[in-house]
Each structure stands twice: as structure tokens, then as C-alpha cells.
Amino acid sequence: MEKKGVIYRISGPLVIAENVKGVGVYEVVEVGEERLIGEVIGVEQDRAVIQVYEDTTGLKVGEPVYLTGQPLSAELGPGLITSIFDGIQRPLPVIQELAGIFVRKGVKTTPLPRNKKWDFKPLVKPGAKVGPGDFIGVVKETELISHYIMVPLETRGIVEWVAGEGSYAIEEPVAKINGVEVKMYQKWPVRKPRPFTEKLDSREPLVTGLRVIDFFFPIGKGGKAAIPGGFGTGKTVTLQGLTKRSEADVTIYIGCGERGNEMADALHSFIKLTDFKTGRPLMERSVFIANTSNMPVAAREASVFMGVTIGEYYRDMGYNVLLVADSTSRWAEAMREISGRLEELPGEEGFPAYLGSRLASFYERSGLVKTNGEPPRVGSLTIIGAVSPPGADFSEPVTQATLRVVRALYALDVNLAYRRHYPAINWLTSYSLYVEHVKEWWSKQGGDYGLLREKLMSILQKEAELEELVRLVGTEALPAEDKLTLEVARVVREDFLQQDAFSPVDSFSPPLKTLYMTKVISLFHDYAFDALRKGVALEKILTMKAKEKIARMKDIPVFDYETTFQEIMDDIKKEFELLLQEVG
């Protein structure tokens, strides 16, 4: 007999049900005659507090609440890649076929297709001893992703039977272990982190192709970072750029309460784009969770945990996964609304007192790990979350709570954005705690990374100090060395840090190219100051022909960087030698 209670009170997305003895916290329930999906977030005696993930318009007191006995879980198996889900893993293209372009209340469908056949290849034989996380087979999910079928984390024993090579639907068993049938998919509670053997220190950066991140503020594989910025500073564009061009094996894009047109634009562009490494469609390594601002606010929280669970699943296969959430401020606003309706004691600016711990429970699921199972493998889940502080005020609670958890900050600057400087990451307020971790990796690319980074950063910091003086006395009143510093800083900003997101060449900068560009700028800096001290006029240095070649470095498309950049450095040296000959 189906267990059920009745609705006692309704307040927007919050419903209180009574006569629900035995219900558990985070249990999924179905609310009302339309069986709207909800999740229990609190229990008191025989009453349950439920956040409903669908529109509660028309819901009435006294309607039934059905208990499922199951937590909110993600369905993990072949078919995730290329999918577009809502916050509770309902496939939106399938819902469109069932109900039209608007998601109707109570519409239900399975997250993964049940009728699609997948070509399965076994990786174990009968009689083999297996444990949690072991590979038992592989499916070619897309041309870019081989989907490994793993032993469920609660199963271990002897393989009694395994399916031969062939096509199977995900509901068909592909193995039997100690009498337990194993299918190609498994379920996992979204609020429970998937276990691993060991967490490792990241010594290799996740290459994003954005020079300001890769060179100045790198993020290690399995790292966590935040991108706060005011309205119009380019949070969404930057996150989309990271998912499109970073060297991750799998990317997960979570639209958490963002505007519908932004999600539509992201989806539209992803469908048309190709992966620059393989030439295959970019969707063949992407998962979308589209939770827009006009959807019920409670589903925003579910969407980030759903996305991170999918990310952990692919991490367990040994892939490097990048997850971006746009934006966690909308999620925090949903928490504030639910907290207000629960009449909880508010914290700063009305946010709940547990805001920090909820953000931490999301970001702390990132990491570079040794996974469970055989063969031994290492996978990573990197999390980058956008934050939308009102009025670009980084002292507000969501930004501050996020900064306590993350290890890299990419602070977007309103002034840079208005100057059309992309990406608008402020190099003076941003930071990364992964710099020391990736120094050895960068040194293997060829060049003293630490020295080059320190030199370029000091040039930009010196420029910031001089700007205050320039506003008071003007540029002409400065000594020649300070004028030259401002010019070199301009070269760093415009010719190195600034990139063209629409350029097929400049939108992604490989590490080797980035390193050579810094070497060229460093060489120009050293020769210019040496020439100035030896009597060469500043005007002649500022009008050098070599500067044109430095300005065009970012558009160099060839992969023989060593020869091309060596020619530029040789030209710089020759031109400075001629200038020194002129002054004797």
C-alpha cells in the first residue's frame, strides 16, 4: 500500500505535509493530485517540510503527498553526454516532444533513453573477482567519449556471467555478480559525494586557453575557482569560453537561475561549434543542465548538486571534468527565499546562516583523485562558479562565503569590460593558490615561469602606481623610465592579456605560445631599458618597427612557435643594436 500524507500548508515552493511518519530528510515525495516532484528538507514529529521543484499554482490544502522512500538521485549511464536536462534531470528535448515548448506541471519521463541500443564490449570474464568501481565493459557513447560501465559502489564479488559483444538497452543486464544483475546505468543520491581512494595535490594546470588565467592565475586540475563580477562584465561569456575551449575531456554547463535567452544562446552556439582538438562537434563531450530564472526557485539548488554528481561519475572513469555553474548567486537567492518562508533566523543581508556550509558542500566535491576500482586511474573534477554580486560589491555575503572555500579568484572588472577588454579579469585583485603547484609543469614547457610571471606582474603593478601620479601631473611630466614602464605595461595588457573571443586563432592560446609571448615581451622590456640608459631617445624606442610584430603575436597561427618567435626576438635585438650604434 502506497504511503501518503496530506498537505497542511502551502507557501510558494514550500509545502508542509502532515501524517507522514517515517519520512526521511532529503527523501523525494510527490505532492498533490498532479504528483509534483518535491524533496523533504525538514521533519518535525509527523510533519515534513518540502521544497517543491515545480510550479505550485493551484495546489490545495488537503491534497495527498505520496512518499517514495528514495532520495533525490541522478541516473548515471550512457546517454548523459549531449543531453540537455532541467534541474532535476528531466530531459528537456523529450519533454518538448511530450508537452510542447513549455514544461507542464507533473510531466515525468526517464532521464536516460530506455529504447536506445548501445554497443557494449565486455572487459571482464566470468569467474573474475570484482569490486566497487571496477570496469566491466565499455560503450562508445560519442566519438569523443568512451563510457566505461562500472561495478556499482555497493556491489562486489565474483562475475557469474557477462554479456558478449552486442547492442543492448540500458535496462538489459550486462553482467551478474554474486546473484546481483548489473545494468549499464546506476543511480546515486545527488547530495552524497561519490567515494574515491585518495585525494591528490594537483601539479598540472587545467589549460583554458585564456592567457590571464593560464599564465597569471592558473587553476590546477581538480581545482575550484570563482568568477565574481557585476552586471555586464562578461561572467557568462567567460564561462562559455572555458567550457568551449579548455582542455577538459568532459564539460558540464549548469545554468543556475540564469536568463532563458542566455541559456538558449549557449545551447545554440554549442550545437554549432566543433572541438578544436578533434574537429568533432563540441556537444559530443558536453552535458547541459538548463535551469532558467522563470523556473521554480527550489530547483536551482537541485541543479548544482545534479551537475556535480554527473561530474563525479565521469571523474570516476578517469576523465578530467570541468563543471561551470552560472551563477551561484541565483542559487543563494533561492536558499534565501526558502529560508524566509521557513521563518528561520536570517543571517547577513537575509541569507540563511548556513549559506557558507552549503556553498562549501558544493565546491569541496572538486578534486584530483585516485578512483575506486580496477584498472588504477586518476580523474579530476574542476569546479568554476560565477558569482553575481549586486553593484559589483565583492563584500556581499555570497562572494565572501565563496572566497573562503575556493583557491582561485578571477575578479571581473567593470572598467575593463567597458573598455572592451576580454577577458575582463582584473590582474591586481585576482589571485590563485595553484601558482606554486604548477611551476614545475610550466618549467617543463621551456622557460623560467616563476621569473617571467613575477616580472610581468611587477610591470602591471608599477603601472597601477604611476596611474595615480599621471592623473595629477599628466604623462608628459613623468621621467623617461616611467613613460617606458607605462608603454611596456600597455604592451602586456593589450598584446598579451587581451584576447579576441571570436578569433579562431586568438580565442585559444596554447601554453607554448603563451610562454613565447611572455619571453618576447620580457626581452623587449630588458633591451628597451638598457637602450634608454645608454642614451637612446625614448621616442625612437616607442616608434620601433619591432613593436608592430609584438602587437601581431597573438595572431600567429602556426604551430612551429620556436622558429616564428625566435625570428621576432632576433628582429628586436637587431633593431636595438642599430639604435645603440646611432648613439655611438
Side-chain angles (χ1 to χ4, degrees), residues 191-218:
R191 295 180 185 277
K192 181 181 177 184
R194 286 177 65 86
F196 49 82
T197 303
E198 183 185 354
K199 203 162 195 173
L200 306 170
D201 281 337
S202 180
R203 298 292 173 187
E204 189 176 327
L206 179 72
V207 177
T208 65
L210 295 178
R211 290 185 285 269
V212 66
I213 292 180
D214 290 343
F215 192 78
F216 277 169
F217 312 110

Side-chain angles (χ1 to χ4, degrees), residues 531 534-536 540 573-584:
K534 289 179 178 177
V536 176
K540 291 196 173 183
K573 291 175 185 176
K574 285 175 187 174
E575 196 166 351
F576 272 115
E577 285 170 6
L578 290 172
L579 289 175
L580 289 170
Q581 287 172 12
E582 288 178 14
V583 295

Side-chain angles (χ1 to χ4, degrees), residues 149-171:
I149 309 303
M150 296 179 284
V151 176
L153 293 173
E154 66 279 359
T155 304
R156 64 172 64 246
I158 305 297
V159 177
E160 297 173 9
W161 165 83
V162 65
E165 282 194 43
S167 296
Y168 304 91
I170 63 170
E171 283 284 13

Side-chain angles (χ1 to χ4, degrees), residues 18 30 37 51 89 188 305 338 372 401 444 468 559 578:
E18 58 183 0
E30 295 178 340
I37 297 173
Q51 59 181 5
Q89 212 191 6
W188 189 262
F305 287 112
I338 295 292
N372 285 312
K444 288 178 182 175
E468 204 57 48
F559 289 95
L578 290 172

Side-chain angles (χ1 to χ4, degrees), residues 207-444:
V207 177
T208 65
L210 295 178
R211 290 185 285 269
V212 66
I213 292 180
D214 290 343
F215 192 78
F216 277 169
F217 312 110
I219 181 168
K221 285 181 179 175
K224 45 187 181 285
I227 305 185
F231 178 77
T233 51
K235 296 183 295 295
T236 300
V237 174
T238 306
L239 286 182
Q240 287 183 21
L242 291 173
T243 49
K244 290 170 185 174
R245 302 180 189 96
S246 65
E247 292 191 340
D249 302 315
V250 176
T251 56
I252 301 170
Y253 188 98
I254 305 173
C256 182
E258 285 301 294
R259 289 174 290 278
N261 58 344
E262 286 186 4
M263 281 306 303
D265 176 64
L267 287 166
H268 186 65
S269 61
F270 263 77
I271 289 167
K272 293 191 297 182
L273 285 171
T274 56
D275 181 27
F276 70 95
K277 289 182 290 186
T278 60
R280 299 291 306 174
L282 199 62
M283 282 296 287
E284 290 188 0
R285 63 176 179 89
S286 305
V287 181
F288 269 90
I289 296 179
N291 180 258
T292 55
S293 55
N294 66 331
M295 291 180 176
V297 293
R300 295 178 190 177
E301 187 186 25
S303 65
V304 295
F305 287 112
M306 186 66 68
V308 81
T309 303
I310 294 171
E312 287 175 334
Y313 178 65
Y314 281 99
R315 175 207 69 189
D316 289 350
M317 295 182 201
Y319 288 118
N320 294 310
V321 182
L322 171 64
L323 180 146
V324 300
D326 187 15
S327 96
T328 53
S329 291
R330 308 279 181 265
W331 167 33
E333 286 165 10
M335 277 194 281
R336 178 165 61 182
E337 180 171 336
I338 295 292
S339 176
R341 292 182 185 278
L342 283 169
E343 299 175 2
E344 294 174 335
L345 192 66
E348 192 179 352
E349 292 188 24
F351 287 102
Y354 47 80
L355 171 66
S357 64
R358 286 288 175 87
L359 285 167
S361 68
F362 167 60
Y363 281 104
E364 290 299 334
R365 289 171 73 169
S366 64
L368 177 74
V369 304
K370 283 184 182 176
T371 68
N372 285 312
E374 295 289 335
R377 52 197 183 271
V378 173
S380 71
L381 172 59
T382 307
I383 297 178
I384 302 178
V387 188
S388 310
D393 176 18
F394 288 4
S395 66
E396 60 90 39
V398 181
T399 308
Q400 289 301 308
T402 303
L403 293 184
R404 292 187 195 105
V405 181
V406 299
R407 301 192 67 195
L409 166 69
Y410 307 131
L412 296 176
D413 190 283
V414 174
N415 293 326
L416 285 175
Y418 288 165
R419 275 153 44 190
R420 299 293 186 268
H421 184 289
Y422 172 82
I425 295 172
N426 187 307
W427 44 86
L428 299 175
T429 52
S430 300
Y431 66 82
S432 171
L433 301 182
Y434 297 101
V435 173
E436 293 299 322
H437 293 242
V438 302
K439 269 186 178 179
E440 188 178 339
W441 183 90
W442 270 106
S443 65
K444 288 178 182 175

